[in-house]
C-alpha cells in the first residue's frame, strides 16, 4: 500500500511531531541514575514503527530531522553529535536486524538500544579525548537492554494494532 | 501479505547473549577489577589537564571561558564539588577512589579518571 504524496508528507510530519514531543518529555523528566546518556529513548518508538511499516528511508529521515530539530530546541551542537552517533548506529543495527536477520521487533529494538548507547560512548571518547567514559559501558549496556525492550514492546503492539491503518 | 514476525530461537539466543555479556561486564568492571587507585587524571576539552595524587587533599578549580568546575580530592577520594553544567550529573556521580572509576561532565567536557600505579605507563604512552 502506498499513499499519495501529500498524505505521505502529512503522515511523516505527524510521526516527526510525535517523536519531538517524546524527546521533549524525556528532556524534562529527570532520571535517577547518575550516568551520562541514560534515557528511555521514547522518540525511537516513532522511528521503529515506521521501520516496521517497511519504510526504512522514511524512518531514517524522521530520525535525522528529529535529532537536528530537538537538538536545536533543547540541546546544543554537542548533544546533536551524541544523538547522531547513537541514532545512526542504532538505526543501521535495527534495519539490519529486521531486514537481513529477520529478528523479532523487540529483539531489534533491544539491539538498537544497546548500540545507541555504544555509539554515544564512542562519540564521548572522541569529544572528551579520554577512555574514562568506558567505565560506564556496563551500566549503559544494561540500560540499553531494558529501555530497548520496553520501546520494542510498545512499538510492536502499536504496529500490530494500528499498523495497517497508517499509510505512508 | 507479509509473513508475521514471530519470536524465534535466534531472538532468544541474541537477547540471552546480550544479557550475559552485559552482566559479565558489569561484574568484571564494577566488582572484580577495581583496586584502590592512587592518582587522578583530569582531562579537559580533550587535553590532559593534570595528574594529581589521591593521597594529597586538594581542590582543583577548572575554569573555561564560560564554565567552571571544582574537583576535590579528599581522604583518598575524588568528587565533583561544583559544576555549572545544566544536568549536574557529575556532582551526583559521587566519590570515586578505585582504579578505572571516573567522573564525567559531558556538557563541560571534563573527565576525572582514577588510575592505579600500574596504569601509569599507559597514560604516558598515550
Amino acid at each position: 500500500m502506498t499513499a499519495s504524496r501529500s498524505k505521505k508528507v502529512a503522515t511523516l510530519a505527524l510521526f516527526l511531531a510525535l517523536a519531538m514531543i517524546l524527546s521533549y518529555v524525556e528532556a524534562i523528566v529527570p532520571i535517577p541514575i547518575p550516568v551520562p546518556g541514560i534515557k528511555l529513548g521514547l522518540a525511537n518508538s516513532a522511528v521503529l514503527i515506521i521501520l516496521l511499516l517497511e519504510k526504512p528511508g522514511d524512518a531514517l529521515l524522521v530520525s535525522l530531522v528529529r535529532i537536528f530539530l530537538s537538538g536545536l530546541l533543547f540541546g546544543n551542537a554537542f548533544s546533536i553529535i551524541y544523538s547522531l552517533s547513537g541514532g545512526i548506529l542504532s538505526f543501521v543495527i535495527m534495519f539490519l536486524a529486521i531486514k537481513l536477520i529477520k529478528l523479532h521487533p523487540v529483539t531489534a529494538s533491544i539491539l538498537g538500544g544497546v548500540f545507541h548507547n555504544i555509539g554515544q560512548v564512542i562519540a564521548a571518547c572522541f569529544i572528551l579525548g579520554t577512555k574514562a567514559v568506558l567505565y560506564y559501558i556496563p551500566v549503559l549496556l544494561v540500560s540499553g537492554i531494558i529501555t530497548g525492550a520496553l520501546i520494542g514492546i510498545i512499538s510492536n503492539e502499536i504496529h500490530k494494532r494500528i499498523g495497517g491503518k497508517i499509510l505512508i | 501479505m507479509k509473513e508475521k514476525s514471530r519470536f524465534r530461537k535466534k531472538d532468544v539466543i541474541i537477547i540471552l547473549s546480550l544479557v550475559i555479556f552485559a552482566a559479565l561486564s558489569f561484574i568484571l568492571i564494577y566488582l572484580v577489577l577495581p583496586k584502590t587507585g592512587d592518582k587522578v587524571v583530569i582531562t579537559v576539552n580533550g587535553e590532559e589537564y593534570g595528574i594529581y595524587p589521591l593521597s594529597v587533599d586538594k581542590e582543583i578549580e577548572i575554569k573555561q571561558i564560560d564554565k567552571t568546575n571544582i574537583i576535590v580530592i579528599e581522604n583518598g577520594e575524588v568528587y565533583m564539588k561544583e559544576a555549572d553544567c545544566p544536568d549536574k550529573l557529575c556532582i551526583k556521580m559521587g566519590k570515586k577512589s578505585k582504579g578505572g572509576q571516573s567522573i564525567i561532565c559531558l556538557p563541560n567536557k571534563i573527565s576525572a579518571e582514577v588510575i592505579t600505579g600500574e596504569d601509569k605507563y599507559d597514560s604516558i604512552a598515550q
Side-chain angles (χ1 to χ4, degrees):
Chain A
M1 279 187 290
T2 39
S4 71
R5 204 173 160 76
S6 48
K7 179 133 192 173
K8 182 188 175 101
V9 170
T11 311
L12 288 182
L14 200 73
F15 270 102
L16 178 62
L18 189 66
M20 289 195 51
I21 291 279
L22 293 173
S23 329
Y24 176 66
V25 169
E26 275 199 354
I28 55 172
V29 174
I31 303 244
I33 306 161
V35 173
I38 288 194
K39 53 180 182 172
L40 278 169
L42 288 172
N44 192 39
S45 59
V47 177
L48 186 53
I49 291 170
I50 308 177
L51 204 50
L52 293 178
L53 292 166
E54 302 193 342
K55 303 282 179 190
D58 296 332
L60 182 62
L61 182 70
V62 167
S63 176
L64 293 180
V65 177
R66 197 273 307 172
I67 289 170
F68 278 109
L69 288 181
S70 61
L72 288 174
L73 288 171
F74 322 121
N76 55 51
F78 284 102
S79 59
I80 293 180
I81 297 177
Y82 290 122
S83 306
L84 265 186
S85 47
I88 292 175
L89 188 60
S90 106
F91 176 84
V92 171
I93 295 289
M94 289 196 300
F95 174 70
L96 293 177
I98 292 172
K99 204 79 188 167
L100 218 66
I101 323 177
K102 309 230 181 294
L103 292 175
H104 189 268
V106 175
T107 317
S109 177
I110 292 176
L111 282 168
V114 166
F115 278 92
H116 181 272
N117 290 351
I118 290 176
Q120 290 202 321
V121 167
I122 294 171
C125 279
F126 279 107
I127 292 174
L128 298 178
T130 170
K131 61 174 176 34
V133 194
L134 298 180
Y135 175 66
Y136 292 97
I137 280 248
V139 195
L140 289 168
L141 286 180
V142 174
S143 84
I145 292 173
I146 296 170
T147 59
L150 286 173
I151 299 301
I153 292 167
I154 293 171
S155 311
N156 191 37
E157 291 303 316
I158 293 174
H159 176 247
K160 269 199 293 196
R161 283 169 168 73
I162 60 163
K165 292 181 184 129
I166 304 170
L167 292 182
I168 300 180
Chain B
M1 279 305 279
K2 76 181 176 92
E3 185 200 350
K4 201 115 183 78
S5 49
R6 284 181 300 117
F7 208 76
R8 298 190 185 83
K9 202 173 163 187
K10 55 187 173 188
D11 293 290
V12 179
I13 295 171
I14 289 186
I15 293 176
L16 266 183
S17 40
L18 272 178
V19 169
I20 292 170
F21 181 73
L24 281 181
S25 69
F26 207 94
I27 294 168
L28 197 71
I29 296 186
Y30 299 148
L31 303 175
V32 180
L33 287 183
K35 284 174 282 183
T36 306
D38 46 27
K39 290 194 185 73
V40 181
V41 182
I42 296 180
T43 309
V44 180
N45 220 341
E47 278 165 35
E48 195 171 292
Y49 184 86
I51 301 182
Y52 304 89
L54 270 177
S55 50
V56 183
D57 289 2
K58 194 174 171 71
E59 194 169 289
I60 303 142
E61 189 175 350
I62 300 163
K63 276 195 180 293
Q64 299 180 75
I65 302 159
D66 51 350
K67 302 161 191 159
T68 310
N69 290 60
I70 298 176
I71 295 174
V72 171
I73 298 172
E74 204 174 71
N75 304 325
E77 294 175 317
V78 60
Y79 63 95
M80 186 72 75
K81 188 184 173 193
E82 275 175 42
D84 54 6
C85 56
D87 54 16
K88 313 273 184 232
L89 277 182
C90 48
I91 297 175
K92 291 180 203 143
M93 284 178 181
K95 299 181 173 179
K96 307 287 175 191
S97 61
K98 303 261 197 266
Q101 291 186 331
S102 64
I103 297 168
I104 311 284
C105 183
L106 277 189
N108 291 2
K109 288 191 262 173
I110 290 176
S111 75
E113 185 186 11
V114 179
I115 56 170
T116 57
E118 299 135 49
D119 293 334
K120 195 171 55 187
Y121 302 101
D122 263 7
S123 64
I124 289 170
Q126 281 168 9

